[in-house]
Amino acid sequence: MISGGNLYAVAKAMAPLYTAMALGYISVKYLRAFTPDQCAGINHFVALYALPLLIFRMVASNNPYTMSGRLLVADTLQKIILLAILFAWAYWANNRQKKSPPSASSSTPLQWVVTIFSLASLPNTIIMGVPLLGGMYGSMSAGLMVQIVVLQFCIWYNLVIFLYEYMAAKRAVLAKGHQVLPARVTEQISKSEVAMQEKESSTEATQTQNEVCVTIIEAAELATSDQSETSEDETSQPEIPKTGIQVTAKVPDQRVHEETPVPTVAVKVVVSMAMKKLLKIPNTYASFLGLLWSLMASKVGIRLPEIVDDSLAIVSTTAVGLSMFTAGTFLARQTQFIPCGYSKAILSILIRFIIGPLLMAITSFAMGLHGTLLHIAIVQAALPLAVSSFVYAEEYKLHADIMSTGIIIGNFVSLPFTIMYYILTGL
């Protein structure tokens, strides 16, 4: 049972977080100590240096040979099921948007996929999980929390960053399509066209040669181009709204399934750009270098030299405090205390504290977890949103208002929710 001393330990862990956030809020709101560019610079430092070093130290200090396989599989299944549901919804929403294009200010389905996934499945496991679950289940919970964090850093945060980079690369391609697409798209489409013609020439020697043309048209020229091409028989790919670029495939006497190279090649270009950018991000190297070191060090029984560990620690320890500080500066720059609005705030709380634990309970039962391990799996899924989720949302300028609200309100309401799940799992 949770004692008064355990509750004090939780409050003691939460107080520094709110102290850092309050300092950031006061510094911008009242003292005018930082400009928006300086606030962005602090957040960029956290994303580029502090968090990667924290990730490396967390992953490198873990022993991968003693990890709880069933718990990690249950945690992985929770996220895979959630992603499958979200991507299925995004596919449906994209098809719907083709019929009624959204407004310029609305978010795309993929943007909501990243935000909802972060809200539902990336809890603040270390800062809140260790003291809170330690008071509930004892010291064994601390090691399990570290294991879940290692999995988050090595797989799920890299996936989130990849999706952020994918959306950024897509915007870059659409904004500079006349510079990025023509050479690559034309070359690849020409190859696919030649292969298609060679395949068909063996059975239909007299068939008319097919032509596939990809035309990148500036938004200002759309009106005149429509008038000049009304007499041509053409099949157009759906126009991506608000981009200023239209991709048109002219396919005389051609079947519908032969038009697929145009969007397929465009997606390949965007994915290639996102992967190249991901490989330049410190988080990717920090997580996998930390994993490689832990595999080797745990096998032969060695540790990082103290001089190296202390050098990493002096920067990595700033990650959490500065993350909360930037959340405070972000809040101070908004016109209202809950910048995303009350409806989105309530929805984010429901996603964080209801949907996430419910999915975790389902996958934990499916993996045969029981007893204390089952209780820990469910309760840790009801912890507040991870601070690093806000850092990345602010870095990529995507739903940072929702993430900051999820952290601020989530830290307040997490204690009653986790106690509720603690009681329910003990029945």
Side-chain angles (χ1 to χ4, degrees):
M1 194 65 186
I2 305 178
S3 64
N6 297 137
L7 290 176
Y8 174 75
V10 174
K12 185 172 66 174
M14 294 175 61
L17 302 179
Y18 282 99
T19 300
M21 186 171 66
L23 181 61
Y25 182 85
I26 294 171
S27 297
V28 173
K29 189 73 173 180
Y30 301 107
L31 302 180
R32 313 292 183 187
F34 299 98
T35 65
D37 288 341
Q38 291 171 334
C39 294
I42 297 173
N43 191 81
H44 193 60
F45 167 80
V46 175
L48 199 61
Y49 295 108
L51 272 179
L53 292 179
L54 176 64
I55 290 171
F56 176 81
R57 292 191 71 224
M58 291 291 301
V59 177
S61 62
N62 176 64
N63 186 348
Y65 302 105
T66 60
M67 298 174 75
S68 174
R70 288 190 300 167
L71 174 63
L72 298 182
V73 171
D75 182 73
T76 301
L77 285 177
Q78 179 220 23
K79 293 171 173 59
I80 291 176
I81 292 172
L82 179 61
L83 281 173
I85 295 172
L86 290 175
F87 277 118
W89 168 81
Y91 177 80
W92 171 83
N94 273 326
N95 289 336
R96 187 179 180 184
Q97 284 184 359
K98 292 175 184 178
K99 300 178 181 179
S100 55
S103 62
S105 59
S106 62
S107 300
T108 65
L110 185 57
Q111 291 175 337
W112 283 114
V113 167
V114 177
T115 300
I116 295 174
F117 176 77
S118 299
L119 284 171
S121 63
L122 298 177
N124 195 347
T125 310
I126 290 297
I127 299 172
M128 293 293 296
V130 171
L132 185 57
L133 273 73
M136 293 177 175
Y137 303 107
S139 59
M140 68 165 291
S141 62
L144 296 175
M145 294 301 97
V146 172
Q147 294 175 21
I148 292 176
V149 168
V150 168
L151 205 63
Q152 287 178 359
F153 284 152
C154 289
I155 299 177
W156 304 115
Y157 276 114
N158 282 318
L159 175 62
V160 168
I161 293 173
F162 169 77
L163 292 175
Y164 278 130
E165 290 294 345
Y166 174 84
M167 290 183 286
K170 187 176 180 180
R171 288 193 298 269
V173 166
L174 294 175
K176 301 179 180 179
H178 58 287
Q179 299 175 5
V180 178
L181 283 181
R184 297 181 181 180
V185 174
T186 303
E187 179 182 355
Q188 295 188 40
I189 290 179
S190 298
K191 292 180 180 178
S192 63
E193 181 182 321
V194 169
M196 187 187 306
Q197 291 174 0
E198 290 177 351
K199 182 178 179 180
E200 293 180 351
S201 62
S202 60
T203 56
E204 301 180 27
T206 59
Q207 184 177 4
T208 304
Q209 184 180 16
N210 297 322
E211 294 182 359
V212 179
C213 301
V214 178
T215 306
I216 305 299
I217 305 174
E218 295 295 335
E221 299 172 353
L222 288 178
T224 58
S225 63
D226 288 340
Q227 295 176 1
S228 62
E229 294 177 1
T230 52
S231 61
E232 296 180 359
D233 181 16
E234 64 179 26
T235 304
S236 299
Q237 296 295 333
E239 181 181 347
I240 302 174
K242 309 300 179 185
T243 62
I245 297 174
Q246 176 175 308
V247 179
T248 305
K250 300 180 180 180
V251 191
D253 302 321
Q254 188 121 322
R255 292 185 295 275
V256 174
H257 73 276
E258 295 174 347
E259 300 171 298
T260 54
V262 176
T264 301
V265 173
V267 170
K268 288 181 180 180
V269 172
V270 174
V271 171
S272 176
M273 292 175 63
M275 286 300 298
K276 289 179 180 178
K277 188 67 179 293
L278 181 65
L279 293 176
K280 298 178 181 179
I281 294 177
N283 287 51
T284 306
Y285 294 100
S287 57
F288 287 103
L289 287 176
L291 181 60
L292 289 175
W293 171 261
S294 66
L295 288 169
M296 180 184 66
S298 301
K299 196 71 174 178
V300 299
I302 60 175
R303 300 178 59 183
L304 280 174
E306 187 175 355
I307 188 173
V308 175
D309 190 52
D310 289 346
S311 300
L312 298 176
I314 198 170
V315 177
S316 64
T317 51
T318 66
V320 176
L322 285 179
S323 297
M324 294 301 294
F325 184 88
T326 57
T329 62
F330 176 84
L331 184 63
R333 287 177 279 134
Q334 308 306 307
T335 56
Q336 51 186 355
F337 183 74
I338 300 180
C340 67
Y342 289 98
S343 59
K344 290 181 180 178
I346 294 172
L347 182 61
S348 67
I349 295 302
L350 292 177
I351 293 173
R352 174 83 290 271
F353 296 106
I354 303 297
I355 303 300
L358 179 61
L359 282 175
M360 191 65 195
I362 293 172
T363 57
S364 297
F365 280 118
M367 289 305 303
L369 298 184
H370 56 83
T372 302
L373 193 59
L374 173 65
H375 300 170
I376 291 175
I378 296 175
V379 173
Q380 66 85 26
L383 295 170
L385 179 65
V387 179
S388 51
S389 295
F390 165 78
V391 173
Y392 295 129
E394 173 67 3
E395 181 73 8
Y396 289 94
K397 307 303 178 185
L398 177 61
H399 295 160
D401 54 346
I402 297 177
M403 295 299 187
S404 65
T405 302
I407 292 173
I408 296 167
I409 300 180
N411 282 333
F412 280 117
V413 304
S414 63
L415 188 59
F417 270 105
T418 49
I419 293 176
M420 178 188 72
Y421 283 114
Y422 173 74
I423 294 172
L424 290 176
T425 54
L427 293 179

